[in-house]
Amino acid sequence: MLSVVYIILAIVVLVMLYPFAYVMSVSISDPAEVIAGRVTFYPKGFDLGAYKTMIDQPVFFSAYRNTILYTALGTFFTLFFTSITAYPLSKDKFQMRAFISKVYIITMFMGGGMIPTFLAYKSLHLLDSIWVMVLPGALTAWNIILMRSFFRNIPETLSESAYIDGATESQILVKIILPLSKPILATIGLFTAVGIWNDYFSALIYLNDVEKYPLQMILRSILVAATVDLSDKGAYAELTHSATESLKMASIAITTLPIMCIYPFIQKYFVKGLMVGSIKG
Amino acid sequence: MKRFLVLFVAIIMLFVSGCSSKSNNAEPSGNSSASTNEQASDPNASGAEKISAKPIEVTWFTTANTAYTGDEEIFKTIQKYTNIKIKPITVARADYTEKLNTMIASGELPDLITLYDGQKYGDLYGPQGAFVDLTPYMEAGKLDSYKAMLEKYPPAMDLTRSPNGKYYGAPRIYDVPYRVDEGFLARSDIFAKHNLSMKPETFDDLYTTLVELKKLYPDSYPYFVRWGTSHLVGNQAYFRGTSNSFFIDPAEQKYTYGPESQAYKDTLVYLNKLYSEGLLNPNFATITDAEWNELLATNKGFVTVDYPQAGDEIIQQMGSKIQQGFEFTSMLQPAYNNNRVGTVVLSGYYQSYRVISNQSKYKDELVNFLNWTYSPEGIDAMQFGIEGESYEKSSDGVVKFLKNFQTAATPNGTIKNSGLNDQGLFSVVHQDAINNYELTGAAMKKSVAFMEENQAFGKATFNAKFSDTNEKKEYTDLKTAIDTYVEEASVNVIIGKQSIDTWDSKVIPQVKKLGSDRALELINKAYDETFKK
């Protein structure tokens, strides 16, 4: 019985890993072998030209730096603002609790739309600055609810005993509640980090300065071909020459591997954190 | 607790410094540039023939595969010749429309904008006041090079003019009698090896050739076309003098509907014959670029309709692994009913524009700049860089680059992404540019020479444009519904699911029902308005 489970799991693992193995194989193979369709699993030939092309882009390193910066700052802000917002909302003695929660929840169902949001950022002088990449997503109702529910599952007696010992509310949050909330911090942190790492849309709409572009903007210019109305005469002249498969795969490898490497380290919290909603205290 | 507080204070400070430094920076620069503007407009008004009297800095929204930083050769060139420093805002071509729409909707426009769909956006947002109206400048003689170039290639003026009678955009002009576009291509090395002719007289000759190829390479599908069904059928129909949709009939000088013609039915019957005998790649609807390259490189496809540039691109990508003697060059298009339809070419007007934002502080300077891009000096500069520094030109027009640029002819050049010869930036393509950038690969040279020798090129044609947005929408909706239906029916005939006998009895009545007569009426009205005013 157990062996059947292992076999099924092995197949699942293979299905999950094959795309990554293929991406890596193609990215380091000889481009000619790729064009001829001879690369299926193992790399054929060896050629790092695609990686060199990626790194040779003038904004490659600044883009990489920006992505890491946006991800680190954005994740930090998200955790910081979400925890200081969720904590009071988890306290029964806080009278405005229900009202403020409702106000937050409304934002889950109604957004401003793209152009009004753009105009709001413009009047806040956020456009074309790094803050537009890290601040707008820092406080979301969904994360607040997740974290508030987690806080509420921590026995109230813990906070009360700390309070009797003379701790202030902020001390209770930092010294008692947050250390007990690592699973939810890891979960929200990871979701946020991956979200910001993969985010190209904010950069596309809100940034103009090439020096501030994150990595995903470069990735898109390589991966996504433009759609051109081919029924127009001469429209083919507008088609940009598509990148070779090797270059596409190299760009995927180089941009996704770092964020994937984070998973194993916080996976233990991740599993616990995902069960947040299922445990009702 | 302390750590927590310190952190909090630090963040607040970060905020404050971030905001304040921004506003501090913004104000003086805003003031200084405003004052420059005032000073600059004086000498201009007094008639000084300078593109920009004072050094100015403007933003330019365009696209680039590799983002421009503003330090590229093209921007140095522009600054040197015009005193205008460009700060490029670039996104990938795929993201361009989204960004453009946001910019227009929010009213946050950069000084200069490249409008790929220039006619549509120019006609729509120009009259609404988004872009600078060039008409008064043209009347004041400030756009002489622009005007001369547009008048050289009728109907460029008519097509550039918006329905309200004003000019907003600077269109791309192909300043050549013809720039090669799509045509028949074949594996000329294989053809030579097996003694097959690259000049089929009729479509039946082409069929016989494909049969031969299938015999020689049984696991191949000799005729293979990428970019979908419409591309396959459309091209076959084009070379029979018809179309898979509404098109301008050169004989009648008005739009007609292609699929009603006998020629279109012949196209479908022909493709059905190729399909049923294994001569046409059965995946024609879905072949991707990667698959197409693979078929080409592995002798699984020999004849297609595509760009002649493809013959050099594949060799460049394959490098030393390419088959010995591999050659993929132009083939003469077969004649239909003794009429050999010339290939599509580009000449004169092309509906990709550059426009100036109405919010720009430097309208006069940028109008001068646009005019300069149509002048002989500007055309050369946008294509080759700074004369004497980036390139030298001999008296017979042969250009020699003085810097190690990466071009199609010098793929290993160290200066990549120079921005020269970028169709998002330049306004005019001239023969020197085509000779030095396009006609460099061996396959391309051979193809163009072959086409010229056999007089295979056609004449440039231009689509009518609508002055009424409601009529345009009505036409587009009708056309989309009709095209979708006809494409499906055409595929069914090609793969043998539906007999061609049903074409006149079922398909065409359905097309009429979908409103083809109304669509024709609308497009012909637009045609008359565009060209016969």
Side-chain angles (χ1 to χ4, degrees):
Chain A
M1 189 56 209
L2 201 61
S3 58
V4 176
V5 173
Y6 277 123
I7 290 169
I8 293 172
L9 283 179
I11 293 170
V12 172
V13 167
L14 209 66
V15 169
M16 300 282 172
L17 284 185
Y18 178 73
F20 291 106
Y22 179 72
V23 164
M24 293 308 296
S25 286
V26 171
S27 74
I28 58 172
S29 291
D30 187 338
E33 300 282 351
V34 179
I35 293 171
R38 286 194 280 266
V39 178
T40 47
F41 189 82
Y42 293 109
K44 294 262 165 64
F46 183 71
D47 186 286
L48 289 179
Y51 286 93
K52 191 170 175 301
T53 312
M54 276 299 284
I55 292 170
D56 275 351
Q57 304 223 15
V59 289
F60 178 78
F61 287 103
S62 75
Y64 224 117
R65 188 200 62 215
N66 290 339
T67 293
I68 293 170
L69 181 72
Y70 298 157
T71 306
L73 267 181
T75 310
F76 171 76
F77 279 127
T78 303
L79 293 179
F80 177 79
F81 286 121
T82 307
S83 52
I84 61 169
T85 312
Y87 180 65
L89 294 179
S90 71
K91 293 285 172 192
D92 285 335
K93 61 184 174 187
F94 180 39
Q95 306 241 320
M96 296 287 278
R97 192 170 65 94
F99 174 72
I100 293 179
S101 297
K102 273 174 199 147
V103 170
Y104 278 122
I105 286 169
I106 289 173
T107 65
M108 280 178 73
F109 299 102
M110 281 181 232
M114 196 169 82
I115 303 302
T117 309
F118 183 95
L119 294 174
Y121 293 167
K122 184 186 158 193
S123 50
L124 291 168
H125 298 288
L126 283 176
L127 289 187
D128 214 13
S129 78
I130 80 166
W131 302 112
V132 79
M133 299 299 292
V134 297
L135 285 182
L139 202 59
T140 65
W142 174 248
N143 285 343
I144 293 170
I145 291 170
L146 272 185
M147 204 176 275
R148 191 195 64 181
S149 314
F150 196 92
F151 287 169
R152 283 174 76 84
N153 285 332
I154 297 168
E156 184 70 8
T157 43
L158 276 176
S159 322
E160 279 167 3
S161 54
Y163 191 66
I164 290 168
D165 287 344
T168 61
E169 289 290 356
S170 31
Q171 276 173 319
I172 293 172
L173 172 63
V174 173
K175 297 219 166 130
I176 311 282
I177 304 292
L178 287 185
L180 288 170
S181 307
K182 278 181 198 151
I184 193 69
L185 292 176
T187 307
I188 294 180
L190 186 69
F191 278 146
T192 312
V194 173
I196 298 178
W197 188 281
N198 288 336
D199 179 29
Y200 77 91
F201 193 75
S202 313
L204 171 68
I205 299 295
Y206 304 127
L207 296 183
N208 286 337
D209 189 350
V210 174
E211 303 284 330
K212 296 196 183 85
Y213 279 179
L215 209 46
Q216 296 298 332
M217 290 289 280
I218 295 184
L219 183 64
R220 276 186 71 80
S221 64
I222 292 170
L223 282 187
V224 188
T227 45
V228 173
D229 182 6
L230 297 176
S231 63
D232 270 353
K233 292 260 156 52
Y236 294 112
E238 295 296 287
L239 285 174
T240 42
H241 297 282
S242 52
T244 62
E245 289 298 295
S246 307
L247 182 57
K248 286 181 182 173
M249 296 307 166
S251 68
I252 293 174
I254 221 164
T255 47
T256 52
L257 277 184
I259 195 79
M260 277 165 56
C261 292
I262 295 179
Y263 273 94
F265 295 103
I266 38 179
Q267 196 202 12
K268 55 178 176 175
Y269 301 111
F270 198 49
V271 175
K272 267 192 234 165
L274 279 180
M275 298 203 296
V276 165
S278 59
I279 306 165
K280 290 279 173 218
Chain B
M1 182 64 207
K2 246 186 202 158
R3 263 187 295 166
F4 182 62
L5 260 179
V6 169
L7 202 64
F8 187 73
V9 171
I11 288 162
I12 295 295
M13 282 181 45
L14 210 60
F15 258 115
V16 172
S17 64
C19 292
S20 63
S21 70
K22 191 168 188 249
S23 54
N24 281 348
N25 282 344
E27 275 197 23
S29 71
N31 283 343
S32 66
S33 52
S35 59
T36 339
N37 188 25
E38 277 164 33
Q39 290 163 5
S41 59
D42 275 341
N44 260 0
S46 62
E49 290 288 317
K50 284 201 176 143
I51 286 153
S52 173
K54 289 262 171 179
I56 57 170
E57 186 174 324
V58 300
T59 49
W60 188 343
F61 173 56
T62 179
T63 67
N65 277 351
T66 304
Y68 290 130
T69 58
D71 298 325
E72 287 78 8
E73 188 74 15
I74 185 69
F75 302 114
K76 286 183 203 156
T77 305
I78 293 174
Q79 191 172 11
K80 165 134 188 165
Y81 281 107
T82 67
N83 230 353
I84 299 172
K85 183 167 169 50
I86 307 274
K87 198 176 172 305
I89 301 172
T90 56
V91 297
R93 182 73 173 87
D95 294 328
Y96 163 83
T97 311
E98 186 125 47
K99 176 111 182 165
L100 178 70
N101 286 339
T102 314
M103 283 175 163
I104 290 176
S106 65
E108 272 288 287
L109 288 172
D111 297 295
L112 269 172
I113 305 140
T114 298
L115 287 182
Y116 280 98
D117 210 345
Q119 207 174 65
K120 177 178 150 197
Y121 278 87
D123 287 355
L124 186 61
Y125 295 108
Q128 290 179 21
F131 312 132
V132 169
D133 178 7
L134 301 176
T135 326
Y137 292 95
M138 197 151 50
E139 280 160 5
K142 295 227 165 204
L143 281 165
D144 50 344
S145 303
Y146 165 91
K147 196 164 174 239
M149 187 59 81
L150 263 63
E151 279 172 348
K152 186 173 166 191
Y153 289 100
M157 280 300 235
D158 299 326
L159 290 165
T160 310
R161 187 172 51 239
S162 282
N164 66 353
K166 301 216 157 77
Y167 297 81
Y168 297 97
R172 183 191 310 161
I173 298 282
Y174 288 91
D175 188 15
V176 287
Y178 48 79
R179 176 197 185 253
V180 60
D181 208 75
E182 283 198 292
F184 273 93
L185 296 175
R187 276 288 299 278
S188 32
D189 57 327
I190 302 248
F191 271 56
K193 189 172 152 196
H194 301 295
N195 237 345
L196 299 167
S197 169
M198 293 286 278
K199 298 178 193 171
E201 275 308 314
T202 62
F203 278 91
D204 287 338
D205 287 353
L206 178 64
Y207 166 77
T208 323
T209 310
L210 295 174
V211 171
E212 286 284 312
L213 284 165
K214 179 81 180 180
K215 262 189 219 149
L216 293 161
Y217 301 89
D219 64 341
S220 73
Y221 294 102
Y223 193 66
F224 68 126
V225 175
R226 57 178 165 180
W227 297 328
T229 307
S230 160
H231 189 220
L232 169 80
V233 182
N235 278 308
Q236 282 277 335
Y238 173 82
F239 287 113
R240 286 178 175 84
T242 182
S243 161
N244 56 345
S245 187
F246 301 94
F247 75 111
I248 300 171
D249 188 333
E252 304 215 16
Q253 287 295 307
K254 64 171 195 172
Y255 273 84
T256 52
Y257 186 60
E260 279 178 341
S261 61
Q262 183 59 40
Y264 189 78
K265 281 188 276 180
D266 288 350
T267 305
L268 294 184
V269 170
Y270 187 80
L271 286 173
N272 169 251
K273 190 164 70 169
L274 297 192
Y275 180 86
S276 59
E277 295 179 22
L279 306 176
L280 167 68
N281 193 302
N283 302 324
F284 59 84
T286 54
I287 294 179
T288 63
D289 285 348
E291 287 162 349
W292 189 84
N293 280 334
E294 185 182 329
L295 292 168
L296 181 60
T298 54
N299 290 356
K300 295 224 166 64
F302 304 100
V303 181
T304 189
V305 175
D306 212 287
Y307 274 114
Q309 282 92 332
D312 290 314
E313 278 165 17
I314 184 95
I315 291 175
Q316 208 183 323
Q317 288 182 11
M318 293 289 285
S320 56
K321 292 281 170 70
I322 197 87
Q323 299 166 46
Q324 194 70 33
F326 181 98
E327 199 180 56
F328 186 54
T329 57
S330 282
M331 177 183 187
L332 191 60
Q333 62 271 27
Y336 175 76
N337 290 347
N338 296 322
N339 174 28
R340 211 185 288 276
V341 179
T343 62
V344 174
V345 298
L346 296 176
S347 174
Y349 174 88
Y350 192 84
Q351 57 124 350
S352 167
Y353 290 4
R354 273 132 293 280
V355 294
I356 304 165
S357 160
N358 234 339
Q359 298 166 354
S360 175
K361 283 180 280 189
Y362 304 113
K363 294 187 185 102
D364 295 348
E365 289 85 344
L366 290 176
V367 167
N368 289 343
F369 170 72
L370 285 185
N371 189 48
W372 173 77
T373 62
Y374 289 88
S375 70
E377 179 190 89
I379 296 171
D380 274 349
M382 297 300 280
Q383 296 289 354
F384 305 126
I386 303 167
E387 185 156 23
E389 195 177 306
S390 322
Y391 76 99
E392 272 175 354
K393 199 176 194 179
S394 67
S395 52
D396 52 349
V398 178
V399 168
K400 186 173 165 258
F401 286 110
L402 301 174
K403 290 182 180 174
N404 194 10
F405 295 118
Q406 187 183 45
T407 67
T410 52
N412 297 321
T414 49
I415 306 176
K416 294 166 187 163
N417 212 29
S418 65
L420 302 170
N421 185 241
D422 176 347
Q423 60 186 10
L425 301 176
F426 64 66
S427 299
V428 179
V429 193
H430 57 348
Q431 196 61 49
D432 286 347
I434 288 182
N435 291 343
N436 285 288
Y437 288 108
E438 268 189 16
L439 291 181
T440 49
M444 186 70 180
K445 274 185 191 163
K446 186 171 172 182
S447 290
V448 172
F450 176 83
M451 301 278 280
E452 272 172 358
E453 188 187 303
N454 291 289
Q455 296 172 343
F457 291 117
K459 275 197 188 120
T461 54
F462 301 95
N463 290 333
K465 66 174 200 168
F466 284 90
S467 55
D468 185 321
T469 44
N470 290 330
E471 286 181 358
K472 180 175 182 174
K473 189 177 180 312
E474 193 186 346
Y475 170 74
T476 314
D477 290 349
L478 289 172
K479 182 176 182 300
T480 308
I482 294 167
D483 286 353
T484 311
Y485 171 71
V486 168
E487 179 169 318
E488 196 190 327
S490 302
V491 170
N492 284 340
V493 172
I494 294 171
I495 63 174
K497 241 170 92 178
Q498 188 176 342
S499 160
I500 191 69
D501 300 333
T502 62
W503 198 258
D504 287 332
S505 61
K506 278 195 186 145
V507 178
I508 295 301
Q510 180 64 24
V511 167
K512 297 267 183 218
K513 227 190 210 163
L514 287 168
S516 64
D517 290 336
R518 173 69 182 150
L520 263 183
E521 186 188 322
L522 289 166
I523 188 73
N524 272 319
K525 185 172 165 241
Y527 179 82
D528 289 344
E529 282 172 6
T530 315
F531 299 110
K532 295 183 180 166
K533 237 179 191 172

